[in-house]
Every structure is written in C-alpha cells, then in structure tokens.
Amino acid sequence: MNITEKFHDVTIVYTDRLVQITTDQALINYLNQKGKNDARNLAKHILTRYQELAGQPLQITEDSLTVEILIHVYLDKLSVLLQKPTPILRSDLRNKLLSLSQTLKSHSEIIDCGERSVDNNRHIFDKLAPFATVITMLLEK
C-alpha cells in the first residue's frame, strides 16, 4: 500500500505500518485553527482512514499519534517552554521532552508515524501518550 491523500490540505501518505505527514504551511494552518484539538482530530482521521485502506488498524494509539504530531510541529515552541520550570511537568519528563525535541529537529520535514516494528521512536511517543492532554494544553495555544 502506498496511498497519498489530502485532509484539509495536509498531505498524508499511507504505507504498510507507517503513515507520513508532510510538515508544511498547510499542516501548521490546520493546527492553528480556532477549534483546537486539531492534532487529535488529525490523529483520529489518520487512524480511521488507515483502517479503511489497510483493512486492519495501525498499531498506534490516538494519544501517541497526537503527541507525535504536536511535538514534531511545535519543536521550537516546545524547546522554549521546556527551558522554564513548570508545575505541570515533572523535571524528569521535562528533560526527556527537551532531549527528544533536540533530536527531532533534524527530522521534521516529514513526520514518520510508524508502528513499533518500523519506528524506533514509537516507544517515546507511547510513553508520552498518558500526558497527551498536558502536551496539547502546552502546545495548542
């Protein structure tokens, strides 16, 4: 499977066990809408559409995919936020997010969202998934 589609002008490529989202102005515009929860809505769409196209679910949770989208798109914003102490995040989580944001900066033109078997970063986003609400609050302002 190798299918490309547009969702609100956001380019998404569906392949076996992997979805790629183009990080461009269309994605930024979509995430900056007034309705908010835009990253979660995009994640829901991707997971539903993958199921339709592949006939089986993509083995990524909605929270993990939401976090991955937000962190990739808002790396600069995240880095600035993480420089400041905040009562919302424990210091160990803040340090992990800061390290992750620095690592991902060089890989932000295309967001590769893959299952664990094809994406060596999946475990990081899976561990951050329980904090999806907090990460969304910090980044989707």
Side-chain angles (χ1 to χ4, degrees), residues 2 15 30 34 64 66 76 83 97 110 114 116 135 140:
N2 190 347
T15 61
Y30 177 75
K34 294 187 188 231
S64 182
T66 299
D76 291 331
Q83 298 299 324
L97 284 171
I110 300 289
R116 281 181 176 247
I135 292 168
E140 275 197 334

Side-chain angles (χ1 to χ4, degrees), residues 1 14-19 50 54 56 58-60 113-119:
M1 169 175 62
Y14 299 88
T15 61
D16 184 40
R17 297 175 292 160
L18 177 76
V19 174
Y50 186 93
Q56 61 187 21
L58 183 64
Q59 298 300 311
I60 301 174
C113 309
E115 295 178 357
R116 281 181 176 247
S117 62
V118 297
D119 186 348

Side-chain angles (χ1 to χ4, degrees), residues 30-76:
Y30 177 75
L31 294 177
N32 285 332
Q33 296 180 97
K34 294 187 188 231
K36 296 303 170 204
N37 284 320
D38 302 315
R40 179 164 304 280
N41 292 335
L42 179 57
K44 285 179 184 179
H45 169 79
I46 288 169
L47 294 172
T48 300
R49 188 72 174 125
Y50 186 93
Q51 170 83 40
E52 292 169 359
L53 295 169
Q56 61 187 21
L58 183 64
Q59 298 300 311
I60 301 174
T61 68
E62 185 180 303
D63 283 342
S64 182
L65 186 54
T66 299
V67 167
E68 184 169 10
I69 293 166
L70 287 171
I71 288 177
H72 272 88
V73 173
Y74 295 117
L75 286 174
D76 291 331

Side-chain angles (χ1 to χ4, degrees), residues 54-114:
Q56 61 187 21
L58 183 64
Q59 298 300 311
I60 301 174
T61 68
E62 185 180 303
D63 283 342
S64 182
L65 186 54
T66 299
V67 167
E68 184 169 10
I69 293 166
L70 287 171
I71 288 177
H72 272 88
V73 173
Y74 295 117
L75 286 174
D76 291 331
K77 187 175 182 179
L78 179 64
S79 293
V80 170
L81 286 169
L82 294 174
Q83 298 299 324
K84 304 172 190 174
T86 174
I88 297 174
L89 292 175
R90 297 183 331 255
S91 62
D92 62 324
L93 178 59
R94 192 175 87 238
N95 291 337
K96 285 180 183 178
L97 284 171
L98 187 56
S99 174
L100 176 65
S101 71
Q102 292 165 345
T103 301
L104 293 176
K105 270 190 179 189
S106 62
H107 306 286
S108 59
E109 287 182 20
I110 300 289
I111 306 170
D112 289 324
C113 309

